[in-house]
Amino acid sequence: MEQVGDRDLLEIEALRFGWPGSASQCIAIDRLSIAPGDTLFLHGPSGSGKSTLLSLMAGVLAGDEGHVRLLGQDWKALGDAARDRHRVDHVGYIFQQFNLLPYLSVIDNVLLPCGFSKLRKLRAASSGDASSAAASLLDRMGIGAALLRQPAMRLSVGQQQRVAAARALIGRPELVIADEPTSALDHELRDAFLDVLLEACGEHRSALVFVSHDRQLAGRFQRQLSLAEINVSASPSAPPAPPAPGEPGERAPHRAAAA
C-alpha cells in the first residue's frame, strides 16, 4: 500500500455538483477530509445525494466546481483511462445493487479487480496467491468453499452482497466505499458482516466510508456524519437528487463495476 504519511487520504474542497437539466445543485460541500484508516458513517434521508457523493469520491462522477483528491491526485486532472486506473488501484466499492457479473463464478467475481489492477493483484498475492486471498476473504464473509465455483446468479441476495464486499476488499485498496451494504442482511449476518469489514479495513489501514439508514450501526465507527451537516444543498426543500451510478433506476458505468 502506498504510504500517504500525515496528509489526508481523501480531500474535498469547494465541491459543487448538479445533474444536467436540474435547476439546482445536489452537492455543495466546502470541505471534507478523510485520513488513512478513518471509518466514517454517513447518513441522510433518501434523495439527499449520499450515493452521488460516493460516486464523486470515487471519481465515477466529476464535480462541476471544486476538487476531490485521492492520494493527492485530483480526479478532474485525469483523463478517462487514467481515472479508471487510479480508481481500480486504490478504491474498493460496494454498490447498492452489487454489480456482480452473474455468469462468472463467485471467486472470479471477487478476483475481478486483480484482473484490472496489477497493484491490487500484487497485494492480494503478498501472502500466497490472489485466489487464496479471495477464498480467505469469502470464508470470513461466510461464503464457504462449496460456493466458490457457483455462478453468482445462483446466490441469495445476502450472499451476493457479501461477495461484493469481498471484491471491494481484495488487494487492500486505500479507500473502501460501502453504499448501504447491510440492507439485505438480517441482524446476525449484519453484525458479522460489519465485524469482518471493519477488521479487514483496520488490518491494512484502509479508510472506510459507509452509508446506511441503519443508525444502530453508527456507534461502531470513529466518525458519524449527517450529509446535511456538510452539504448546503441537502435540505428538506431541495429537490431529490437523480439516482447516482449503482442506485436503483440507473445502471452503473461498466468501468466502475470492477472496483
Side-chain angles (χ1 to χ4, degrees), residues 14-26:
L15 176 63
R16 302 293 185 268
F17 177 82
W19 291 97
S22 175
S24 61
Q25 297 170 328
C26 65

Side-chain angles (χ1 to χ4, degrees), residues 100 106 143 147-148 150-161 163:
L100 300 179
V106 166
I143 305 294
L147 294 176
L148 296 187
Q150 292 292 318
M153 69 178 75
R154 295 186 183 176
L155 300 185
S156 69
V157 170
Q159 287 171 328
Q160 289 184 43
Q161 203 153 23
V163 172

Side-chain angles (χ1 to χ4, degrees), residues 26-42:
C26 65
I27 296 292
I29 297 175
D30 290 329
R31 179 158 180 81
L32 176 64
S33 60
I34 297 171
D38 267 0
T39 60
L40 172 65
F41 183 90
L42 182 66

Side-chain angles (χ1 to χ4, degrees), residues 38-248:
D38 267 0
T39 60
L40 172 65
F41 183 90
L42 182 66
H43 60 92
S46 296
S48 63
K50 298 185 302 298
S51 293
T52 301
L53 175 57
L54 297 185
S55 293
L56 289 160
M57 288 179 174
V60 177
L61 297 174
D64 301 320
E65 301 175 25
H67 304 280
V68 181
R69 301 183 185 93
L70 179 66
L71 290 164
Q73 176 63 63
D74 195 327
W75 286 114
K76 288 178 70 173
L78 297 172
D80 288 347
R83 190 162 60 245
D84 291 346
R85 286 194 300 271
H86 196 56
R87 182 187 310 112
V88 74
D89 278 348
H90 304 295
V91 180
Y93 206 121
I94 309 173
F95 296 92
Q96 276 188 348
Q97 300 302 302
F98 319 141
N99 288 13
L100 300 179
L101 297 184
Y103 54 86
L104 282 187
S105 70
V106 166
I107 196 164
D108 285 341
N109 265 286
V110 174
L111 288 169
L112 273 175
C114 297
F116 290 98
S117 170
K118 291 181 180 179
L119 177 61
R120 285 176 72 175
K121 184 176 182 179
L122 284 171
R123 290 173 179 168
S126 62
S127 57
D129 61 79
S131 293
S132 295
S136 177
L137 274 171
L138 286 163
D139 185 65
R140 292 171 70 179
M141 289 287 174
I143 305 294
L147 294 176
L148 296 187
R149 299 299 172 185
Q150 292 292 318
M153 69 178 75
R154 295 186 183 176
L155 300 185
S156 69
V157 170
Q159 287 171 328
Q160 289 184 43
Q161 203 153 23
R162 284 175 277 157
V163 172
R167 181 185 61 188
L169 291 167
I170 192 78
R172 309 197 302 272
E174 286 87 347
L175 176 64
V176 176
I177 294 175
D179 193 357
E180 296 281 0
T182 60
S183 59
L185 306 180
D186 61 33
H187 284 188
E188 184 177 348
L189 287 176
R190 178 202 68 183
D191 292 343
F193 169 88
L194 194 53
D195 287 343
V196 174
L197 184 61
L198 289 168
E199 181 181 306
C201 289
E203 286 174 0
H204 305 294
R205 209 166 172 241
S206 299
L208 173 63
V209 178
F210 187 102
V211 163
S212 178
H213 288 96
D214 190 349
R215 298 286 294 277
Q216 295 180 18
L217 303 177
R220 302 196 60 183
F221 293 79
Q222 296 167 352
R223 299 166 61 190
Q224 300 91 41
L225 191 62
S226 167
L227 186 56
E229 294 176 28
I230 56 170
N231 182 20
V232 298
S233 292
S235 66
S237 60
E247 284 191 301

